[in-house]
Amino acid sequence: MEQLRIPGPTPCPPEVLQSMTKQMIGHRGKEFGQILNKVTQQLKQLFQTQNDVFILTASGTGGLEAAVVNTLSPGDKVLSVSIGVFGERLAAIAQEFGAEVIPLRFEWGKAADTDAITKALEANPEIKAVLVTHNETSTGVTNDLASISLVVKKFDKLLLVDAISSLGSINLPVDDWQCDVVVTGSQKGWMVPPGLAMVSVSPKAWQSHTVAKMPRFYWDFTKAKNYLKKGQTPWTPAETTVFALEKSLEMMLEEGLTNIIARHARVAELTREGVKSLGLSLLANKSYASNTVTAVRASQGLDVDKMRRILEEDHQIIIAGGQQTLAGKIFRIGHLGWVNEADIEKVLAALKIVLPQAGFGGGK
Ligand SMILES: *Cc1c(COP(=O)(O)O)cnc(C)c1O
């Protein structure tokens, strides 16, 4: 069987796939309402929050757009803390809707520096919100969100977090870390197909929402909240994906959040040590290397495209390349969601065979 080891979409357990064969039900009926209320409560547990949580029919990016348009007005100053492709995407969304984006960029492969964030907030007292990626999937780096949050809250700013590839896999206590809007996506650590974005909204975010003037219709949190009171979503939801989420949340709560986080840490450590023992080096420093995706440098003559092609053709293993300026320079192994040590052992065993076939160690 093919092994999909990219950082989303990720493989789904057979039980989750089976749950998707269920017949459609009325989305304004009692049965769907019960499912929606149950999964919303369960999501709050895994978000570690008392805040409102909404399930939107969208990929993760739709959730990011919802976070922006529900809390900001055109002309608002926002600080974009960016460490890679997805940090840039969140900034681009804010820019597109008329926010005045103040960029604070860090080298790709490094984590954000909290002192630099402090300086930027001191230098620009009018900043309203800080945009940050918890886990930067393009570089395999996890930001120290707890420390970033302390700084952002010292200045009493709104904190909008892209946690699409971390929530449910890496610890993110939304309330303890005072995150105002947090966005995740079903196809990352949740063992569910693409199609749902899940977002949490704090009381402070709701305050901003009441005065936020960016145009919004489909994403309007007020509509989501009013419909959820009736056990509904404003628009027809991706029901089948909600059924999948219902099953996956049951499995996740059975394993327990602490165990899930520990499993991701173990599997990530195995991945990092494994690629290093093959003679490769990691893009990210150990202190902030991600537990959901590992970025590996293409060193010693390694042709990443060729390696990925052979891995797929000969070993049925799919891994990711680098994005944008990192194309050809790194490859990425996804290890989030439905993954254990045995899956990674197989990838490492295949890599050992394929690396020399793809030029690695060829003298460069
Ligand atoms: C995957 C991902 C996104 C984009 O999500 P889509 O579901 O493709 O819209 C955004 N941010 C991060 C950190 C991601 O990993």
Side-chain angles (χ1 to χ4, degrees), residues 46-60:
L46 295 169
F47 275 61
Q48 304 178 66
T49 190
Q50 312 275 336
N51 291 341
D52 288 305
V53 168
F54 302 122
I55 298 169
L56 312 174
T57 292
S59 79

Side-chain angles (χ1 to χ4, degrees), residues 244-257:
L245 182 65
E246 182 188 19
K247 189 68 202 175
S248 77
L249 290 175
E250 186 188 310
M251 294 172 70
M252 288 176 79
L253 289 169
E254 196 176 295
E255 184 177 0
L257 183 57

Side-chain angles (χ1 to χ4, degrees), residues 9-50:
T10 63
C12 300
E15 300 93 315
V16 170
L17 296 179
Q18 188 60 36
S19 72
M20 299 181 74
T21 62
K22 195 172 135 95
Q23 184 57 275
M24 291 305 99
I25 56 178
H27 65 300
R28 310 247 175 253
K30 194 170 155 205
E31 185 185 355
F32 187 77
Q34 283 168 348
I35 295 172
L36 187 64
N37 286 331
K38 181 177 73 180
V39 296
T40 302
Q41 289 309 317
Q42 291 173 328
L43 282 171
K44 287 185 188 186
Q45 274 179 260
L46 295 169
F47 275 61
Q48 304 178 66
T49 190
Q50 312 275 336

Side-chain angles (χ1 to χ4, degrees), residues 7-9 58-64 85-87 89 133-138 162-166 185-188 194-196 332 336:
S59 79
T61 306
L64 296 178
V85 170
F86 293 107
R89 183 181 297 180
T133 316
H134 182 210
N135 186 75
E136 180 50 75
T137 316
S138 66
D162 173 349
I164 292 175
S165 63
S166 56
S186 56
Q187 82 277 23
K188 301 288 172 104
L196 301 176
R332 293 171 300 148
L336 69 170

Side-chain angles (χ1 to χ4, degrees), residues 207-353:
Q207 277 174 15
S208 300
H209 176 78
T210 57
V211 293
K213 294 273 184 318
M214 281 185 183
R216 53 181 179 265
F217 185 86
Y218 188 81
W219 303 128
D220 193 340
F221 286 163
T222 294
K223 293 188 183 86
K225 190 175 172 103
N226 288 338
Y227 274 85
L228 188 58
K229 284 181 196 147
K230 301 184 283 185
Q232 295 178 22
T233 53
W235 332 110
T236 311
E239 276 191 4
T240 303
T241 319
V242 175
F243 299 155
L245 182 65
E246 182 188 19
K247 189 68 202 175
S248 77
L249 290 175
E250 186 188 310
M251 294 172 70
M252 288 176 79
L253 289 169
E254 196 176 295
E255 184 177 0
L257 183 57
T258 313
N259 293 333
I260 294 172
I261 292 167
R263 172 168 54 82
H264 282 84
R266 272 197 324 271
V267 169
E269 187 62 18
L270 177 70
T271 310
R272 289 189 288 263
E273 289 308 313
V275 293
K276 279 197 284 182
S277 75
L278 294 171
L280 293 157
S281 61
L282 305 175
L283 179 66
N285 190 292
K286 190 177 166 55
S287 62
Y288 44 71
S290 166
N291 283 346
T292 58
V293 54
T294 294
V296 184
R297 289 179 200 273
S299 54
Q300 299 182 50
L302 177 64
D303 179 338
V304 170
D305 288 341
K306 188 170 178 189
M307 178 195 70
R308 292 177 58 222
R309 203 165 51 241
I310 303 173
L311 271 176
E312 176 162 3
E313 282 170 8
D314 292 359
H315 303 271
Q316 293 75 51
I317 292 172
I318 322 291
I319 63 173
Q323 290 167 284
Q324 299 182 10
T325 58
L326 289 173
K329 300 206 171 103
I330 61 165
F331 65 88
R332 293 171 300 148
I333 303 170
H335 35 79
L336 69 170
W338 192 45
V339 62
N340 62 24
E341 283 90 339
D343 298 319
I344 295 303
E345 300 285 9
K346 283 182 206 138
V347 175
L348 293 169
L351 271 177
K352 189 170 181 170
I353 299 165

Side-chain angles (χ1 to χ4, degrees), residues 5-204:
R5 292 266 66 95
I6 60 174
T10 63
C12 300
E15 300 93 315
V16 170
L17 296 179
Q18 188 60 36
S19 72
M20 299 181 74
T21 62
K22 195 172 135 95
Q23 184 57 275
M24 291 305 99
I25 56 178
H27 65 300
R28 310 247 175 253
K30 194 170 155 205
E31 185 185 355
F32 187 77
Q34 283 168 348
I35 295 172
L36 187 64
N37 286 331
K38 181 177 73 180
V39 296
T40 302
Q41 289 309 317
Q42 291 173 328
L43 282 171
K44 287 185 188 186
Q45 274 179 260
L46 295 169
F47 275 61
Q48 304 178 66
T49 190
Q50 312 275 336
N51 291 341
D52 288 305
V53 168
F54 302 122
I55 298 169
L56 312 174
T57 292
S59 79
T61 306
L64 296 178
E65 182 170 316
V68 167
V69 299
N70 275 286
T71 57
L72 298 171
S73 300
D76 278 351
K77 279 194 180 164
V78 300
L79 181 68
S80 154
V81 177
S82 168
I83 63 168
V85 170
F86 293 107
E88 291 303 302
R89 183 181 297 180
L90 183 50
I93 295 169
Q95 178 109 35
E96 186 70 31
F97 282 92
E100 193 183 316
V101 176
I102 300 168
L104 179 60
R105 295 189 173 96
F106 298 89
E107 192 187 324
W108 288 14
K110 296 215 155 51
D113 170 34
T114 44
D115 291 340
I117 298 173
T118 302
K119 285 202 187 86
L121 290 173
E122 274 167 0
N124 299 279
E126 291 138 55
I127 285 172
K128 176 136 192 277
V130 176
L131 315 178
V132 63
T133 316
H134 182 210
N135 186 75
E136 180 50 75
T137 316
S138 66
T139 59
V141 169
T142 305
N143 272 318
D144 180 358
L145 187 57
S147 301
I148 292 172
S149 158
L150 283 178
V151 171
V152 172
K153 290 301 153 180
K154 195 176 104 194
F155 288 86
D156 197 27
K157 310 299 182 191
L158 201 65
L159 180 55
L160 309 184
V161 181
D162 173 349
I164 292 175
S165 63
S166 56
L167 237 176
S169 313
I170 297 173
N171 191 36
L172 200 188
V174 168
D175 288 357
D176 284 358
W177 293 356
Q178 300 181 73
C179 301
D180 294 303
V181 181
V182 180
V183 180
T184 186
S186 56
Q187 82 277 23
K188 301 288 172 104
W190 301 91
M191 310 188 291
V192 170
L196 301 176
M198 294 86 88
V199 301
S200 68
V201 184
S202 76
K204 186 177 170 75

